[in-house]
Amino acid sequence: MSDLVKVMIDDREVEVPKGTGLVETAASAGIEIPVFCYEPRLGAPIGACRMCLVEVEGLPKLQAGCTLTAQDGMVVKTAASSEKAAEGQNATLEFILVNHPLDCPVCDKGGECPLQDLTFRYGPGNTRMSFSKITLEKPIPVSPLIALDRERCILCYRCTRFSSDVAEDNQLVARNRGSHTEISTFESDPYRAPFSGNVIELCPVGALTSTQYRFEARPWEIQNVPTVCGLCPVGCNVNATVREGKVKRILSRNHPEVDGGWLCDKGRFTYPHLTAEDRITEPLVRGKLGLEPVGWDAALDRAEELLRGAGTRIVTALSGSESVEQAYALARLLRVGLGAHAAVLPESTSDALDAFRLPLSSIASAEIVVIVGDDEVADRAPVVDLWLRAARRNGAEIVHYGPTGTEQTGPGGAAAALHALTESGNGPGDRLRSAERAILIWSGGGGGGGARLAETAHALGLEGKPGSGAFHLPATPNGRGVAAAWAAAADEDESNPEPIGLLIVSGDEAAADPAVRVLAERAENVIAITMFHALAVGWADLVLPATSSLESDGTLLNLEGRLQRLRRTVIAPVPDELAWLSNLAGRFDVELSPHAVVVFDELSARAFGGVDGSELNGTASLPARTPYEAPVPAAEVRAAASAKPSDEHFLGELRLLRYRPLFSGPFVERVGELAFQRPTAELELSTEDATRRAIATGDSVVVRSNGTSIELRARINRGLIAGVARVADEHAADLHLHVEVVKL
Amino acid sequence: MSALYEEIQEIRARYPESLSAVMPALQLAQERSGGWLPEEAFREVADALDLTPAYCLSIASFYDMFRLEPVGEHMIEVCTNISCGLNGAQQVVEAFESELGMRAGETTGAFSLRTVECLGGCGWATIVAVNNRHRLNVQAGDVAGIVAELRGTGRGEG
Amino acid sequence: MTAPRPEVVFAGTNGGTLTEIAAYEAVGGFEALVKSRALSPDEVIAELNASNLRGRGGAFFPTGRKWSFVPKPDKIDKPHYLVINADESEPGTFKDREIMLRVPFRFLEGCLIAAHAIESQHVFVYIRGEYEAEFDVLESALEQMRAKDLLGEVTIVLHRGAGAYICGEETALLESLEGRRGQPRTKPPFPAIAGLYASPTAVNNVESITSATTVMEIGGAEYAKLGVENSTGTRVFSLSGNVVTGGNYELPHGFPLRDLINDLGGGIADGRSLKAVIPGGSSTVVLTADEANRVTLDFDSLVGAGTAIGSAAVIALDDRCCMVQLAVRVSQFYEHESCGKCTPCRVGTKWLTSILQKIEDGRGTQADMDLLVSVAERINGKCLCPLGDSDAIAVMSYFDKFRDEFQAHVDEGGCPFHGTSSLDHLLAPVAMHVHNEAVAHA
Ligand SMILES: Cc1cc2nc3c(=O)[nH]c(=O)nc-3n(C[C@H](O)[C@H](O)[C@H](O)COP(=O)(O)O)c2cc1C
Ligand code: SF4
Ligand code: FES
């Protein structure tokens, strides 16, 4: 433990660990040191705004409290007890307000604005500024998601520090100098980066606002409902701001171990999918004219009919975004009620990794992190990318084996690299072994859902070190929870029916998955449980409307192995899945509660060691590690095409590396403001391959494989291994594993 | 690979951390782009140093000697800080304005005229920098001659 | 008439330059380096301490002590850096430029001595971008030294600034050298512990380093005999303003200010009379003619007169200078050069300029006079670095010492000089990077 020191603040004695920030020290005694620029999550204090001025005994000048740390015997006076400090803070506010437009009545931040609050508490009551304020063009679109009102900006540099020092995207910067300084992107380029939206929450005034939220609500009309984000396996803790039954914005609800208070733009800005134009609000059955709306009773009768008709010859394709309760309910109905055990499960995570469990936040204090896999971390589990950047800033060695990694391996070559880590004389492997805090991360398909990773971690002895561990970044938000729920519902083994009597497609990701589409061609009937028309038409015989994770109570199991609570933030326009699943289950003599908490209790006893659901509220904790057990070799399910290793390398041909970008999928596609974040139709090439073909960034190229050919824009990626052509999934069409790339 | 890219790699090698190369790289790019930094120059420098154009802009716009708009072939800068001011700098500025038919801060044709802060030649006021070479003890009466001389020469030594 | 004028910095130049290595060697060049390298780092530092050489960049901090703050390599296992501040931008100051032009080798020799003292192998010279000729001279000198293998293990990199006064402030300089916007850092940590690339760093002014060469050449005790107590050695004073012969004058500390202006500077030009003197660069408190006649050019005397020796830039103002116009122009300078990081400096300097301009234009009221004082007080002592404070201090000194002149502007509804002031209508720089900004013509 660190030494405790005694500090006197406003005649109150406070004891804190030495080195505690003075702002925190004061706060622990219930004393406020007001701040604007200070935000410990952005790194070391910069002392820019001068809001935090305090008097320190022995120092003639006022000091920026935010830059001080507690020292034994320090005597500090804040504005509450020092006239000089009060005068200093009043001065700072007067300066800040010199150019501020004071347009609070029409400002989105009004009512939840630190500048308003601090002016009320510390500021001057009138203005002595008789010159015209600086007027500027406003609002400026920083991107389709963010508007900037430069007149309101107080130049605290929180946003730019986030961009340069946390996300390290360096897209939002300060330009010019002195009083001409302004926040800006480059020319007309938008702030295009995975975490841009955080600057809105960081801005202490209404300078950076969300275009989605602009003029949508006043702070006293809203409610913030705590839940977790259901869009990736991290499960960032969020608040959904709700007004009149509609989600109006998503804010971070800092879970220090999971997300550190950051959100990616997918989690923050995708909520308008709830009100997408093609949202399905009533059941649909296939009639003569295509899909036709029917009442719920008729729909459930039809579902029962289809289920009875198919019996055990049912295959269920799950998305991996269902709550564990939904997946369990579906599994109970099908497996217990009908004996239909066949399922296409999302990529899961091996239980063997539980021996290496640790909070994501420990990545930041690692000495060495080795990432293995074909995929960029940010595409699979975005916030993990921020933890990795924090680790690098803290001095960690970060090694990435992959086609775009620091140690380049060809597509699918990561497995060999992982294996090599355990061989003697392997540099990173030796350092993993000797470090106190070593972390392994699997970022890609294949690898047995982290089973191979667990074996490596075991071989390196990581389970014995509390600061060391291993993470598998699965492809879906709740793949592990869904698989666990499915498994817990019954004991029988699955058998693959042929032909398939009925294909049940659960959720939009499954509905959008080409592999599931292929399966449907072999099915006599299809029931689709989906939110959107476009995903239902053309193949479903019965469509049951789905809800979003923002609309249902439930539980998700994240990639750390942490169970977290989903809350219903708004009432869905359709009944909850559990409601009609319980009804249907009853028709097959399966008892199933329509309430998530009850379902969870039943499931928890079977799959999660009986953990009490009420403990998952607030910020959920991480279960303890379990002893290491060697993984049973598991079947690799629905692994990404890119993960299929191959040694063939035809002369003049490139291996196609498909990747699934963060900004993709049915929800993102339905949010117009996110369109600019989606990947462009481009093909990435290594410098070597580009030079050989005389291709420059920006050139149009034709990509050919086995009779298919598409045109893409080329981009040289200096970090990409030679011999590979990297293309976002959605732009790779039907291209095969090997492609020929020719300049147009 | 462009020549600029290669030259920037050389500059980069001089420093323990490559970020330090951003100023010299921008200086080089400006020299290569006719004395100012067009959008493309920012993109090239950013690419050569693994930075973003926005970052490079944030740097360039902080410093007065980077130009974000086109400049004339001859950049004339008159110091109007205290010591030059006390010794007739304003008259020198006005003489340039009338001789060139433009106001300080403007660029027309081959000339850009600027007033600048102290150039570090106060004892020899007024200081006029022509294409960054300093002329000492300039008086309003000298201006016509300077302009005539520049009109007769190309770019380069002022 | 005047005291003797020993040459230390410019020794051996005979009024000319020593830019060829042979010429420099002929006057004993590099002997100090050889001597220093034969000593341990601590012995070099002890010599500096004996000399009581203090920083010539403005803060007058003892150079030997600064070096001794840099931890020994076994304490902090990171490269150590020596960074030379050749950003000289304080209005009125132009001494470092002449040092680099005329005695580049003495300066570079000092760099190598300092590098030896702090056990550094990496020297960066941050030279202001406007000093192109000086850059060329240094580059040529370095080339000549390399040819003679004088650098040993040490690399010296010349890094050009790009026009920002604030980069003379040592932490802003380090930020700039690291490739960031030149904005000052909060201290602690101090550069000696975490400076360039968060590694131990000494930052020294060109003249300090050049003087260190002499200290090692003649010995600390000998050096300390020059000048006066607390202000040893010589100093290159930059004299400018309304004098007949401005320029740099190397003088021992303790030299009477009056003699610098009248004897060396040839007195006030055009037969006018001395009104005031800015003794140490634009950021220092102004002296009235009376005060100026009483002080000597050293730390104690100037502090005693309520001002500072600063960068040793003496600006003489004659009776044609309107003090309100001076205040406007000085405030415009600080406004233009404010880095924009902290609120009081960014906003306050601009506000101060506006109030001063209003008074100068004859639109000022008594309330504006009070506001001027209040805003200056609200800037002073609240900023992140001394830049904003400097504006407030300089302007307040004009106001305090020439209050009648300010008052006359308010009372007469206009400038009492009626267009005859030497600074009349002086045009400040037009903000460089701001589009469509109205040109600030008066
Ligand atoms: C606003 C500001 C500008 C400065 N400009 C310079 C400068 O141009 N040259 C310089 O040597 N020191 C300048 N300084 C002082 C430096 O911060 C630093 O004290 C000095 O370089 C240390 O060197 P020395 O100890 O050898 O004097 C400036 C300080 C401030 C606050
Ligand atoms: S936009 Fe907001 S966060 Fe950014 S500097 Fe201005 S006030 Fe601070
Ligand atoms: S909060 Fe301390 S200076 Fe901004």
Side-chain angles (χ1 to χ4, degrees):
Chain A
M1 243 351 271
S2 34
D3 325 336
L4 291 180
V5 294
K6 284 200 176 98
V7 180
M8 285 289 273
I9 305 181
D10 292 345
D11 303 321
R12 234 175 283 178
E13 193 178 88
V14 201
E15 210 173 45
V16 290
K18 186 175 159 78
T20 305
L22 192 64
V23 173
E24 290 78 9
T25 306
S28 73
I31 296 167
E32 179 185 44
I33 296 180
V35 300
F36 284 119
C37 67
Y38 182 59
E39 165 51 88
R41 291 180 302 148
L42 297 176
I46 59 167
C49 74
R50 317 307 281 179
M51 189 59 226
C52 61
L53 293 172
V54 293
E55 212 183 326
V56 179
E57 200 176 84
L59 297 174
K61 283 212 246 173
L62 290 175
Q63 300 291 310
C66 71
T67 64
L68 303 174
T69 55
Q71 310 293 333
D72 208 24
M74 204 171 185
V75 180
V76 177
K77 289 191 163 135
T78 74
S81 69
S82 154
E83 227 169 87
K84 197 171 160 194
E87 156 72 13
Q89 289 180 341
N90 190 285
T92 297
L93 276 168
E94 181 176 38
F95 287 133
I96 286 179
L97 294 176
V98 157
N99 287 304
H100 194 79
L102 298 172
D103 57 348
C104 313
V106 293
C107 176
D108 276 322
K109 198 83 174 184
E112 46 184 35
C113 173
L115 179 58
Q116 260 182 345
D117 296 346
L118 295 187
T119 302
F120 182 72
R121 293 209 281 281
Y122 301 92
N126 56 2
T127 174
R128 303 188 292 169
M129 218 317 261
S130 59
F131 302 98
S132 45
K133 298 188 178 222
I134 299 175
T135 52
L136 299 160
E137 194 193 322
K138 60 186 255 185
I140 300 203
V142 162
S143 78
L145 296 166
I146 304 171
L148 167 63
D149 183 323
R150 287 184 175 141
E151 292 176 357
R152 292 182 190 152
C153 171
I154 63 167
L155 289 170
C156 67
Y157 302 102
R158 283 177 170 221
C159 53
T160 55
R161 282 154 69 213
F162 174 81
S163 175
S164 65
D165 301 351
V166 178
E168 300 178 358
D169 55 50
N170 280 310
Q171 301 265 357
L172 193 66
V173 298
R175 60 178 284 170
N176 302 337
R177 191 176 69 205
S179 59
H180 301 289
T181 309
E182 59 191 25
I183 303 305
S184 169
T185 59
F186 184 67
E187 304 288 338
S188 54
D189 291 2
Y191 185 4
R192 186 171 186 263
F195 301 99
S196 71
N198 291 294
V199 300
I200 298 169
E201 274 192 73
L202 284 166
C203 183
V205 298
L208 290 165
T209 50
S210 154
T211 56
Q212 290 179 338
Y213 188 63
R214 253 175 105 78
F215 306 132
E216 283 289 318
R218 308 298 303 176
W220 50 89
E221 312 168 319
I222 57 172
Q223 251 184 307
N224 283 326
V225 186
T227 183
V228 297
C229 175
L231 299 179
C232 96
V234 174
C236 292
N237 288 211
V238 299
N239 274 317
T241 295
V242 175
R243 175 180 177 236
E244 291 175 357
K246 295 266 186 325
V247 176
K248 291 296 179 185
R249 72 178 168 190
I250 302 290
L251 298 173
S252 166
R253 179 173 62 86
N254 193 340
H255 191 315
E257 289 185 353
V258 177
D259 50 58
W262 309 125
L263 285 184
C264 78
D265 287 3
K266 187 170 173 177
R268 184 184 300 277
F269 296 117
T270 311
Y271 68 87
H273 75 269
L274 295 175
T275 50
E277 262 178 31
D278 72 337
R279 175 94 197 247
I280 301 169
T281 51
E282 45 196 349
L284 307 166
V285 288
R286 169 130 51 193
K288 286 187 203 74
L289 302 168
L291 290 175
E292 295 165 1
V294 286
W296 270 97
D297 290 342
L300 292 184
D301 290 347
R302 176 70 180 140
E304 181 183 347
E305 196 183 320
L306 288 171
L307 289 167
R308 287 200 196 282
T312 58
R313 291 186 305 116
I314 299 175
V315 173
T316 308
L318 292 124
S319 282
S321 53
E322 300 86 349
S323 67
V324 295
E325 292 84 351
Q326 285 169 2
Y328 180 71
L330 198 55
R332 291 291 287 172
L333 163 66
L334 296 165
R335 302 191 65 186
V336 179
L338 287 135
H341 300 295
V344 180
L345 289 170
E347 184 190 27
S348 179
T349 292
S350 165
D351 290 343
L353 278 175
D354 291 349
F356 308 96
R357 198 178 257 168
L358 77 176
L360 280 173
S361 55
S362 17
I363 295 173
S365 46
E367 294 155 60
I368 174 166
V369 184
V370 174
I371 306 151
V372 193
D374 288 354
D375 291 349
E376 305 269 352
V377 168
D379 286 333
R380 286 206 156 224
V383 160
V384 176
D385 181 63
L386 293 184
W387 289 119
L388 286 167
R389 289 176 192 276
R392 190 180 314 103
R393 289 191 300 271
N394 292 338
E397 176 187 2
I398 312 277
V399 186
H400 182 180
Y401 293 96
T404 54
T406 55
E407 301 294 320
Q408 296 187 332
T409 55
L418 181 68
H419 186 74
L421 289 173
T422 59
E423 288 163 6
S424 71
N426 180 295
D430 289 347
R431 294 196 288 282
L432 282 166
R433 217 187 288 268
S434 61
E436 266 318 301
R437 300 179 306 282
I439 288 175
L440 279 173
I441 295 176
W442 181 271
S443 179
R452 300 296 89 75
L453 190 70
E455 288 163 354
T456 306
H458 174 63
L460 294 168
L462 300 192
E463 66 263 45
K465 301 179 195 167
S468 298
F471 297 99
H472 168 238
L473 312 184
T476 61
N478 193 29
R480 186 176 180 190
V482 165
W486 185 266
D491 289 332
E492 288 86 346
D493 286 338
E494 74 172 79
S495 57
N496 285 324
E498 198 61 55
I500 300 170
L502 175 65
L503 175 68
I504 299 178
V505 183
S506 164
D508 299 275
E509 289 85 352
D513 185 343
V516 174
R517 295 272 167 164
V518 170
L519 216 53
E521 283 164 19
R522 293 172 17 217
E524 289 156 14
N525 289 298
V526 173
I527 297 181
I529 307 165
T530 171
M531 286 177 69
F532 308 115
H533 262 281
L535 294 172
V537 291
W539 66 328
D541 300 283
L542 172 64
V543 180
L544 296 171
T547 63
S548 155
S549 57
L550 285 164
E551 295 166 335
S552 39
D553 288 326
T555 310
L556 301 177
L557 183 59
N558 84 346
L559 64 84
E560 304 162 284
R562 189 190 303 265
L563 287 162
Q564 301 195 103
R565 270 284 140 98
L566 280 174
R567 285 282 193 77
R568 174 181 307 167
T569 66
V570 287
I571 310 285
V574 298
D576 194 77
E577 279 89 339
L578 289 183
W580 55 260
L581 279 170
S582 119
N583 177 321
L584 266 185
R587 301 182 189 204
F588 294 93
D589 298 325
V590 177
E591 204 187 314
L592 192 68
S593 165
H595 302 295
V597 277
V598 181
V599 176
F600 182 81
D601 284 346
E602 183 182 327
L603 171 61
S604 175
R606 293 170 181 238
F608 305 128
V611 56
D612 180 351
S614 66
E615 283 171 17
L616 308 178
N617 294 326
T619 49
S621 55
L622 190 64
R625 288 183 172 183
T626 56
Y628 177 71
E629 273 176 50
V632 256
E636 309 249 323
V637 199
R638 232 206 283 158
S642 61
K644 289 190 198 111
S646 159
D647 291 321
E648 318 163 57
H649 191 292
F650 304 116
L651 192 70
E653 292 202 341
L654 299 174
R655 281 281 303 279
L656 181 71
L657 176 62
R658 287 169 179 267
Y659 71 100
R660 237 186 115 196
L662 173 60
F663 296 102
S664 62
F667 294 170
V668 170
E669 284 163 18
R670 281 171 177 72
V671 181
E673 302 89 79
L674 277 172
F676 81 104
Q677 290 272 31
R678 293 174 59 192
T680 45
E682 65 179 15
L683 167 122
E684 292 167 45
L685 287 169
S686 68
T687 316
E688 192 186 318
D689 290 321
T691 313
R692 191 175 311 144
R693 291 169 177 74
I695 293 170
T697 294
D699 288 349
S700 290
V701 291
V702 177
V703 192
R704 276 191 219 109
S705 75
N706 285 18
T708 322
S709 115
I710 54 174
E711 200 184 308
L712 293 170
R713 177 187 180 276
R715 181 164 70 81
I716 297 176
N717 178 345
R718 291 209 175 84
L720 182 65
I721 191 170
V724 163
R726 190 168 182 268
V727 184
D729 218 17
E730 62 202 79
H731 295 300
D734 302 326
L735 291 174
H736 291 238
L737 208 53
H738 289 94
V739 294
E740 208 180 317
V741 177
V742 191
K743 185 171 164 175
L744 249 193
Chain B
M1 218 91 325
S2 73
L4 187 66
Y5 181 90
E6 295 301 338
E7 280 175 86
I8 291 176
Q9 302 315 309
E10 277 171 38
I11 294 174
R12 195 173 175 164
R14 277 185 228 152
Y15 298 93
E17 291 184 14
S18 66
L19 193 59
S20 286
V22 66
M23 255 165 72
L26 286 166
Q27 282 158 343
L28 185 68
Q30 173 160 297
E31 210 173 279
R32 294 296 150 78
S33 314
W36 70 292
L37 289 164
E39 188 174 323
E40 199 40 44
F42 282 109
R43 299 204 189 271
E44 282 186 52
V45 170
D47 178 54
L49 290 173
D50 299 315
L51 298 170
T52 61
Y55 185 83
C56 296
L57 176 66
S58 83
I59 299 303
S61 63
F62 185 86
Y63 300 94
D64 288 341
M65 291 178 73
F66 291 115
R67 323 279 180 194
L68 307 182
E69 314 246 288
V71 293
E73 203 179 323
H74 300 295
M75 168 61 76
I76 298 172
E77 295 167 304
V78 184
C79 168
T80 60
N81 208 287
I82 313 170
S83 302
C84 288
L86 292 170
N87 284 285
Q90 182 58 22
Q91 287 69 46
V92 173
V93 173
E94 285 166 14
F96 273 114
E97 288 184 329
S98 73
E99 197 65 35
L100 295 169
M102 64 199 236
R103 313 205 95 182
E106 293 177 350
T107 293
T108 32
F111 291 91
S112 293
L113 180 64
R114 298 268 190 281
T115 48
V116 294
E117 295 296 7
C118 181
L119 284 171
C122 326
W124 313 292
T126 292
I127 304 295
V128 175
V130 180
N131 296 329
N132 216 18
R133 292 283 164 170
H134 294 187
R135 302 194 177 207
L136 318 181
N137 299 311
V138 176
Q139 292 174 4
D142 303 328
V143 167
I146 296 175
V147 172
E149 175 199 322
L150 293 174
R151 286 209 163 110
T153 66
R155 188 179 184 79
E157 296 295 286
Chain C
M1 50 173 203
T2 53
R5 293 175 49 199
E7 280 197 325
V8 165
V9 168
F10 291 122
T13 57
N14 276 326
T17 64
L18 289 173
T19 50
E20 295 303 319
I21 200 160
Y24 182 60
E25 282 172 332
V27 297
F30 300 112
E31 281 170 18
L33 176 64
V34 173
K35 211 192 259 182
S36 304
R37 282 184 172 160
L39 300 174
S40 73
D42 283 340
E43 285 167 331
V44 175
I45 290 173
E47 210 60 56
L48 263 296
N49 285 337
S51 76
N52 202 12
L53 173 67
R54 295 171 70 165
R56 307 305 196 220
F60 216 59
F61 193 84
T63 306
R65 267 188 52 215
K66 184 179 279 190
W67 294 355
S68 68
F69 289 159
V70 177
K72 296 286 162 207
D74 58 342
K75 291 263 166 48
I76 294 190
D77 183 26
K78 283 184 181 172
H80 287 32
Y81 295 103
L82 173 67
V83 175
I84 305 301
N85 190 341
D87 195 50
E88 187 164 68
S89 316
E90 174 80 14
T93 319
F94 48 97
K95 63 191 179 69
D96 293 340
R97 117 182 270 182
E98 191 162 336
I99 293 172
M100 292 185 281
L101 278 176
R102 288 176 57 202
V103 287
F105 294 108
R106 184 165 290 132
F107 161 56
L108 293 170
E109 184 179 2
C111 293
L112 295 174
I113 293 170
H116 176 64
I118 64 163
E119 302 185 59
S120 161
Q121 290 170 358
H122 313 278
V123 182
F124 290 93
V125 179
Y126 188 102
I127 179 167
R128 82 175 279 197
E130 291 87 344
Y131 283 180
E132 217 169 80
E134 293 72 11
F135 179 88
D136 292 346
V137 167
L138 286 186
E139 203 166 51
S140 146
L142 262 180
E143 215 28 71
Q144 297 178 54
M145 284 169 72
R146 277 194 204 105
K148 293 207 134 196
D149 216 5
L150 282 163
L151 298 185
E153 300 285 281
V154 180
T155 59
I156 299 182
V157 174
L158 304 179
H159 184 94
R160 300 186 58 191
Y165 163 71
I166 189 58
C167 292
E169 193 283 330
E170 58 183 9
T171 60
L173 184 154
L174 295 173
E175 285 285 294
S176 178
L177 186 50
E178 286 182 9
R180 301 201 171 78
R181 292 160 61 84
Q183 297 189 316
R185 305 172 176 169
T186 61
K187 295 189 254 192
F190 290 92
I193 308 299
L196 188 62
Y197 310 123
S199 305
T201 304
V203 183
N204 279 111
N205 167 263
V206 170
E207 187 184 352
S208 315
I209 286 292
T210 310
S211 303
T213 304
T214 305
V215 169
M216 293 312 294
E217 193 177 321
I218 65 176
E222 201 58 30
Y223 185 89
K225 287 182 192 156
L226 299 167
V228 295
E229 202 188 347
N230 292 332
S231 304
T232 61
T234 64
R235 189 84 188 244
V236 180
F237 289 92
S238 301
L239 177 64
S240 70
N242 299 123
V243 289
V244 176
T245 42
N248 286 312
Y249 297 92
E250 182 173 2
L251 305 169
H253 276 120
F255 195 88
L257 173 56
R258 184 186 58 226
D259 292 354
L260 171 61
I261 292 174
N262 293 332
D263 299 345
L264 302 174
I268 301 307
D270 307 329
R272 310 297 303 207
S273 61
L274 182 69
K275 178 176 186 176
V277 177
I278 296 172
S282 68
S283 60
T284 52
V285 165
V286 75
L287 296 173
T288 62
D290 276 352
E291 291 168 332
N293 282 329
R294 290 196 296 266
V295 298
T296 51
L297 293 166
D298 55 84
F299 183 83
D300 291 341
S301 174
L302 289 167
V303 167
T307 183
I309 192 162
S311 58
V314 177
I315 306 173
L317 309 164
D318 72 21
D319 55 353
R320 287 170 299 186
C321 176
C322 165
M323 295 308 274
V324 177
Q325 286 179 3
L326 176 71
V328 169
R329 188 63 191 86
V330 166
S331 193
Q332 281 170 333
F333 169 75
Y334 287 104
E335 176 191 336
H336 178 81
E337 299 295 349
S338 169
C339 81
K341 184 172 179 176
C342 78
T343 311
C345 176
R346 181 184 66 243
V347 180
T349 53
K350 184 179 164 77
W351 195 4
L352 210 54
T353 308
S354 307
I355 299 167
L356 287 163
Q357 188 70 59
K358 189 176 173 193
I359 293 171
E360 166 59 23
D361 292 348
R363 294 176 290 118
T365 62
Q366 211 57 40
D368 288 314
M369 300 274 275
D370 297 339
L371 185 62
L372 177 72
V373 176
S374 168
V375 170
E377 279 173 356
R378 291 194 139 197
I379 298 170
N380 195 10
K382 320 280 194 308
C383 301
L384 176 60
C385 92
L387 189 146
D389 295 357
S390 297
D391 189 11
I393 290 169
V395 166
M396 281 325 294
S397 76
Y398 312 153
F399 182 83
D400 287 343
K401 295 186 181 180
F402 298 90
R403 189 178 298 239
D404 291 352
E405 218 172 294
F406 281 71
Q407 189 63 50
H409 281 76
V410 173
D411 295 346
E412 291 180 25
C415 181
F417 285 79
H418 303 292
T420 63
S421 162
S422 45
L423 297 179
D424 207 54
H425 283 167
L426 186 59
L427 184 60
V430 181
M432 293 291 168
H433 303 311
V434 181
H435 303 240
N436 312 321
E437 181 104 349
V439 177
H441 277 274

